[in-house]
Every structure is written in structure tokens, then in C-alpha cells.
Amino acid sequence: MSQQVRTIQGGQEYTGPGVVGPEYDNTTVTEKISNLVLRKDTELSWFAGVAIGAFGGLILLVSVTYLVLIGTGIWGLNVPVGWGFAIINFVWWIGIGHAGTLISAILHLMQQSWRNSINRFAEAMTIFAVMCAGMFPLLHVGRPWLAYWLMPLPNTMALWPQWRSPLVWDVFAVSTYFTVSLIFWYMGMIPDLGTLRDRATNPYLRQLFGLLSMGWRGATSHWARYEKAYLILAGLSTPLVLSVHSVVSFDFAVSLVPGWHTTVFPPYFVAGAVYAGFAMVLTCTIPVRKYYGLEGLITIRHLENMAKVTLATGYIVIYGYAMEAFISWYSASPYEGFMMWNRMWSGPYWWSYWMLLFCNAFSIQFLWFKKLRRSPIFLWFLSLIVGVGMWLERFVIVVTSLARDYLPSSWDVYSGTVWDWSLYIGTIGFFIMMMFLFIRFLPIIPMSEMKMILPRSKKAE
Amino acid sequence: MSHGNGSSAEPQLHGIMAEFEDEEAIISATQQAVDAGYKKMETYTPYPLEELMDILHLHKNKVALVILIGGIFGCIVGFFMQYYASVIHYPINVGGRPFNSWPAFVPVMFECTILFAALSAIVGMLTMNGLPRPHHPVFNVERFKYASQDRFFLCIESDDPKFEITETKQFLENLNPHEVSEVEE
């Protein structure tokens, strides 16, 4: 059959009115995406990418091993800065994950069909980012082998978690978030795994995909329940994603430290998370669409839409910065006022605040220009700047507030040690490795959902 | 696979299946099969088709109810887990706050609600669909592998009261399908 041999080369930028390029119909969408998984040859650059990621993963292993052997003293933490890189990185990674849920759940509820091209990819990003995030608090507890004490397990010492603490809420929020994201991701993939089962020629591969697809056969009565369940899952994930970063912000806001004790934190953290997450989706999708010739499926319009969301959420973040500064003045609290003055001018970290404003407030203004929003190369560099900016935001919040607390005699300057950095770089390597494995072994664009949004007349071809 | 009736008997049929090339064809074929009085049929498509659900009256299902029950159960579990730990099993007076300080329990209750609802969504959806079931008679049709790719299948099942092999086959042939085949049990 011609179906078996026809392949789509891709590589054409598509700027027309449709959601996907004109070369795609039911057959070619299936071929293009499933061939990315089922092809026999793997290009050398893929191995190189995995190797780079795995090298980072090795750095992670070494860092964790040394940490477990020696203890958290290898990090730069000391009184008064007890929350350093571990918390910064935790919040950063969790935030990155949030765009995946936003794309898959909220845009699904709003019937934004363009999200179908990028939701699988963004959901995978969410899961790997939450894995990276979860490592930090587990390691930060100091004795990770006792981390199960975070869960309410009956024990002979009658120890229970402190239910009134946001840190315990965080355990529940993040573990629920991970589980629900995994369910959402897997459920969305069941029909596609069925497609891979039907297209695989290798009998072992066919059995593997058959198992993973749970024997999905696309019966309409099944689709009816599937769609209902998927819609409700989207409805459940939406408040969940808002709650997760709100709870993360409670870790700060519920305390009494100047610079943390702020009511604007929950919405400001959620917006910052979506902002960083969309930037990360851009960072990941722009090279992948180029390399695998997916320009007809993840079009310029998708990139532009993501840039618009980045700009919009960026402005909420800017509002957050403005409110922090305004309230520190308006509250007339000398501690709040000092905190802001210290953060902006007089403290040892003044440069980080201005770099943060450069990355998150100044640089995104370029997104007002349509031409730049439609330039993949520009967007890619901008997304990196945003990623750095969001890391700096958490650095500013965590470190500058703690380094100058209420007691001047305990003031100190904090900086990350080589082990702080190696753990952070290690998680980035782990993330890269997982993304490369995902690209090769699972369908990166949901085939069944793409077929739903193809124009009707094209389907009949 | 034959079931019981001795090796000489005809293999039992699950039904008769017709393959269609596009969604307009399967929608009109299904409508005609319903109009002709067939009751037991199933359509197989690579993506959900709203019109088929309309024709086959598949919009009502119990998925939402199962998820609601799961969510309520999760909420109750979340509350009593905290209540038991801080009121019954090991009450500790922290700064004079009540043991049952329920407002502080709300975030964990909320997370448990979502967790149990999401788990009941996937488990409930799969169970009601009779999945996982890696082997099903429809997979015996050679070309059924295209049902997950770009083709649309209509299967009239043999337990339909109006089912009669030659007649049903003739009926499906008249619907302008790509191919009609018997689905062996």
C-alpha cells in the first residue's frame, strides 16, 4: 500500500490560516508522528543529545552520593540563609512544570484547538520537571532515607505530620500534582499507543505497545467515556495547578520574614510559573520542530500564541514586582522598607534584582512586535533569558530576604558552593536526557487529537 | 478461535464489519444501519466522532458520577486522616489552637479530593470500557489495524436480533464500503 511508504519530509514553514500545514491529513499525520517512534535508524545526533543529558545525570548521581555521605553541609547553607539553592531550584522546576498543565487542561477547557500540537510535549515536560523539583526537598531534609516521614504513615512513635504547616501541604500538593499529571499524560496517550501497536512491525514492539495501550480499539462507546473522563480530568487539573503553586508560595507567605510575608504571592507565583513554563516549552519545541521537520504541525502560529501567553503572564509578574515594592513602602513597616531598599540598592545582592528586572520585565517588551513573536530564533533566545530571569526571581526572594533578617548580628552573605551548582546542573542534565528519551520512544504529538482538528474536507482525501 | 461446537462447525461470528474511507461515509452508514432496525452495533474510529455518539445514543454514561463519588470519598479521607491524627490518636496543644483546626486542613483535603477523583477517572473509564483487554474479536480482521490510523469501521454484531449472515453482509455491501469482512469470534 502506498500508505506504508509515503513519508512527509516537512521542513516547510507554514503561515496560512489553518492550525496545521496543508500537507497533513489523517494518513500523513499518523505516518509523520508514528514514524518518529517506529523508524529503525536513529540519527547520531540523538545519541549525542542523550549522552549530554546522561553526563548531566552522572553529575547528579555524584552530587547526590556525596550529599548523602557528608550531609547538607557541603552546600552553602548556614545561619541565617537556611533555604538556598535547594528551595530556589525546587520552585523553579515546579514552576516550569505548570505550563504543561496549563496547556493540556486550561486551554482544553477553553477549546483552544491549537494546543493539540504541543500538549503531549508540554505534559512530558511537566512530568520530568516535577521529578527534578521533587528531588530538592527530599535531599534538603538532610536524611533522604527518612523522607517517608513526610507522609502520614502510622508508626510506633505516634509521629504525625504537622497538618497546620504549609510544608506538609506542599508534600500533598506536589505528590498529587505529579500523580494527576502522569494520569493525564498517560490517558491522553492510550489511543496513540494503540496506533503504534497497529503500525509496529516488530512483534515484541507490537506486544509492548499493545500492553501499554490496554487493548484500545477506538470503539465509539469507549471514545464517549474517554472524552468525558478527559474533559473532567482537565477540569480537575485546572484548580489543582493553581493550588500547587499557591501552596508553594505559602511556604514563604505564611512565614514572618520581610519579603516573604506577602499576600500577592499566590497569584504572582502562579503567573510566574506559567510564564517560566511557556518559556521552557519554547526552549524545547523550537529545536525539536526544526530538527524533526514538524513545522507543519507546530507552526509559527503556535509559537506566536505561546509568545503572547508569555507576554501576558509576564505582565502579571511585573505587577507582582510592582506590588512588592509598593506595599513595602505603603505598609510603613521599617522592616519591609529596609528589605526593599536592601534588595534594590544597599544589599550585597542588588545586582540580582536588576538582572531579574532586565530578564523578566525589560526583555519581554520585545514580544509586543509581531515580527519578533514570529521569529523562532529570537523566541528561543528570549525563552532562555526568561528561564534565567525566573531563577533569579526565586534567588532574590529566598536569599536576599534571609541574608538580612531581623537580627543584624546574624547577617551573612550566602553563595552556592560547587555542590549546589553541580546538583542544579545535574537535574538539568537529567531533564534533557528524559526529553530525548521521550522524543525517541513515545509519540510527541497526539495523533488522535490532531486528526480531530484537521479541516473536514482534508480528512476525506 | 472456535468455541466448543466441534471442529467441523463454522467458526462463531462476532459480527460483520464494513470499512469506510472517511467520516461522512461512516456517519451515513451508521445512520442507515440504525434506520434499518439494527440494534447491536459498534463503530471504530481513529478519533472520536460526535455524530456517531448522537446516532448511537452514547452521550449518557456514568463516568462523571464515578469521578464525583471518588472526589467526595477523597475529601472525606483527607479530612479524617488529619482529624484522626490530631484529635484522636495524638492530640498536641500547639499554642492553644483547637485540635480540630479544620481551616488548616483544607489544602490537604482539597489535594486528596483531586487525587481520588483523578484516579477514579482513569480507573473508572477503563473499567467501564472493559479495558485492559488486549485481545478482542475485532482484531481478527486483517485491516482493522487501520481503525487506529485513518479508516472507519462499522461492525454489526451477531447477537443483534436482526442479524443474519448473508442478509447483513448484503446490507453492508450496499453502503458503499471499502471492504466487508466477517469478524471471527
Side-chain angles (χ1 to χ4, degrees):
Chain A
M1 286 238 77
S2 64
Q3 282 173 343
Q4 306 285 352
V5 290
R6 192 148 51 110
T7 50
I8 287 286
Q9 289 306 317
Q12 297 288 320
E13 286 289 3
Y14 170 70
T15 50
V19 177
V20 298
E23 67 271 31
Y24 288 105
D25 56 36
N26 284 339
T27 313
T28 50
V29 163
T30 313
E31 277 176 11
K32 176 77 194 176
I33 299 166
S34 56
N35 282 355
L36 287 179
V37 178
L38 296 172
R39 68 207 150 100
K40 299 251 169 12
D41 54 321
T42 305
E43 61 284 353
L44 209 59
S45 51
W46 181 83
F47 285 105
V50 175
I52 291 169
F55 181 69
L58 288 177
I59 295 177
L60 176 70
L61 281 179
V62 172
S63 314
V64 172
T65 309
Y66 191 61
L67 178 80
V68 169
L69 279 174
I70 307 293
T72 43
I74 63 168
W75 292 344
L77 300 179
N78 210 333
V79 174
V81 183
W83 277 12
F85 270 38
I87 303 300
I88 299 168
N89 297 339
F90 163 69
V91 181
W92 190 74
W93 276 119
I94 280 279
I96 281 172
H98 277 34
T101 320
L102 186 107
I103 289 169
S104 51
I106 299 180
L107 296 185
H108 182 64
L109 294 181
M110 293 178 175
Q111 300 187 326
Q112 296 292 310
S113 58
W114 59 274
R115 80 27 121 188
N116 287 10
S117 297
I118 49 173
N119 73 338
R120 174 77 43 75
F121 204 86
E123 283 162 30
M125 198 191 74
T126 296
I127 287 163
F128 306 143
V130 175
M131 283 178 180
C132 292
M135 287 181 217
F136 286 100
L138 289 183
L139 296 171
H140 197 220
V141 297
R143 281 179 273 180
W145 52 94
L146 297 178
Y148 66 89
W149 284 7
L150 294 167
M151 299 310 285
L153 300 169
N155 56 71
T156 52
M157 295 175 287
L159 283 174
W160 293 102
Q162 169 55 284
W163 299 110
R164 301 173 189 95
S165 163
L167 298 176
V168 169
W169 305 346
D170 229 12
V171 172
F172 280 83
V174 173
S175 54
T176 299
Y177 183 50
F178 180 72
T179 315
V180 173
S181 301
L182 200 62
I183 291 173
F184 205 67
W185 189 54
Y186 176 63
M187 200 171 129
M189 209 146 43
I190 288 175
D192 283 3
L193 291 167
T195 307
L196 290 178
R197 167 201 64 204
D198 292 341
R199 284 183 67 89
T201 45
N202 179 326
Y204 295 109
L205 213 52
R206 194 158 57 218
Q207 282 199 350
L208 177 68
F209 284 126
L211 277 176
L212 289 174
S213 69
M214 304 232 164
W216 182 261
R217 50 186 191 273
T220 303
S221 59
H222 292 187
W223 276 120
R225 295 193 190 95
Y226 176 92
E227 285 224 290
K228 180 71 78 64
Y230 195 77
L231 181 69
I232 297 176
L233 264 186
L236 291 169
S237 304
T238 302
L240 175 66
V241 71
L242 300 181
S243 85
V244 171
H245 230 57
S246 298
V247 168
V248 169
S249 80
F250 288 162
D251 293 346
F252 300 94
V254 171
S255 78
L256 291 173
V257 178
W260 288 8
H261 187 60
T262 316
T263 46
V264 79
F265 262 21
Y268 156 53
F269 266 52
V270 171
V274 173
Y275 171 69
F278 265 86
M280 190 55 125
V281 178
L282 285 170
T283 313
C284 297
T285 47
I286 288 172
V288 167
R289 72 192 272 283
K290 183 83 203 155
Y291 194 80
Y292 291 104
L294 298 171
E295 286 98 334
L297 291 171
I298 304 172
T299 64
I300 289 287
R301 181 178 153 202
H302 291 97
L303 301 184
E304 188 182 359
N305 281 350
M306 287 193 269
K308 283 178 182 167
V309 177
T310 309
L311 182 62
T313 48
Y315 263 85
I316 305 179
V317 172
I318 293 171
Y319 173 80
Y321 299 151
M323 272 307 117
E324 279 187 312
F326 173 73
I327 293 295
S328 69
W329 166 74
Y330 189 71
S331 67
S333 156
Y335 297 102
E336 288 284 333
F338 169 77
M339 178 279 297
M340 209 61 209
W341 184 252
N342 173 65
R343 186 184 278 188
M344 283 179 175
W345 306 109
S346 68
Y349 303 109
W350 63 271
W351 49 270
S352 65
Y353 187 73
W354 295 105
M355 269 173 71
L356 149 75
L357 285 188
F358 171 80
C359 293
N360 286 353
F362 173 74
S363 70
I364 59 164
Q365 303 309 324
F366 291 105
L367 293 177
W368 287 109
F369 301 101
K370 189 174 178 124
K371 200 163 182 174
L372 293 175
R373 284 202 305 269
R374 295 175 76 91
S375 156
I377 292 179
F378 174 79
L379 284 180
W380 193 74
F381 281 106
L382 186 81
S383 70
L384 292 182
I385 293 175
V386 169
V388 173
M390 285 312 288
W391 192 87
L392 283 167
E393 180 195 304
R394 279 69 188 246
F395 180 87
V396 166
I397 291 171
V398 172
V399 176
T400 61
S401 307
L402 285 177
R404 294 288 179 272
D405 67 354
Y406 290 107
L407 200 64
S409 63
S410 70
W411 286 1
D412 202 355
V413 174
Y414 166 86
S415 62
T417 63
V418 63
W419 294 107
D420 280 303
W421 285 106
S422 67
L423 195 65
Y424 179 45
I425 292 165
T427 52
I428 294 175
F430 172 78
F431 180 81
I432 293 173
M433 181 181 79
M434 296 300 276
M435 284 313 275
F436 269 99
L437 293 176
F438 163 67
I439 287 168
R440 185 66 187 86
F441 295 116
L442 290 171
I444 57 173
I445 294 176
M447 291 181 262
S448 60
E449 290 180 54
M450 289 308 287
K451 290 172 204 166
M452 286 166 71
I453 59 168
L454 289 172
R456 276 245 148 152
S457 56
K458 302 260 336 294
K459 286 174 181 167
E461 278 171 21
Chain B
M1 274 184 284
S2 67
H3 279 264
N5 308 346
S7 53
S8 61
E10 283 271 302
Q12 293 244 322
L13 280 191
H14 173 75
I16 295 183
M17 186 181 259
E19 174 187 341
F20 298 93
E21 290 179 2
D22 59 66
E23 50 188 56
E24 273 77 20
I26 183 115
I27 290 165
S28 91
T30 313
Q31 185 65 58
Q32 288 178 56
V34 169
D35 293 345
Y38 287 105
K39 300 252 183 305
K40 293 270 188 179
M41 69 181 102
E42 183 67 272
T43 47
Y44 299 90
T45 56
Y47 51 93
L49 280 175
E50 207 63 22
E51 292 87 341
L52 290 178
M53 293 176 202
D54 293 338
I55 295 168
L56 299 171
H57 303 292
L58 291 171
H59 280 298
K60 278 216 164 83
N61 56 53
K62 295 206 161 57
V63 170
L65 181 68
V66 167
I67 298 175
L68 178 70
I69 293 170
I72 292 172
F73 180 72
C75 187
I76 293 170
V77 165
F79 176 73
F80 277 100
M81 174 176 67
Q82 299 176 82
Y83 184 86
Y84 176 77
S86 37
V87 179
I88 298 170
H89 192 227
Y90 203 142
I92 305 175
N93 187 331
V94 183
R97 288 172 187 81
F99 294 132
N100 178 24
S101 46
W102 65 268
F105 298 168
V106 168
V108 171
M109 282 161 67
F110 173 79
E111 304 300 341
C112 290
T113 307
I114 301 284
L115 179 66
F116 278 70
L119 286 171
S120 43
I122 186 159
V123 173
M125 183 275 288
L126 289 173
T127 313
M128 282 187 271
N129 282 348
L131 300 175
R133 183 180 178 184
H135 297 283
H136 188 272
V138 291
F139 289 119
N140 295 334
V141 175
E142 176 63 21
R143 285 185 58 80
F144 187 72
K145 61 182 179 184
Y146 295 109
S148 67
Q149 301 179 36
D150 52 1
R151 293 303 169 99
F152 304 81
F153 290 79
L154 167 64
C155 181
I156 296 181
E157 287 161 18
S158 59
D159 50 359
D160 189 296
K162 211 171 166 299
F163 183 86
E164 203 281 316
I165 294 184
T166 43
E167 205 177 295
T168 305
K169 209 167 186 175
Q170 191 54 48
F171 172 77
L172 286 172
E173 292 283 4
N174 290 339
L175 297 174
N176 194 23
H178 179 77
E179 195 176 294
V180 172
S181 40
E182 297 181 357
V183 185
E184 288 174 16
E185 192 69 58

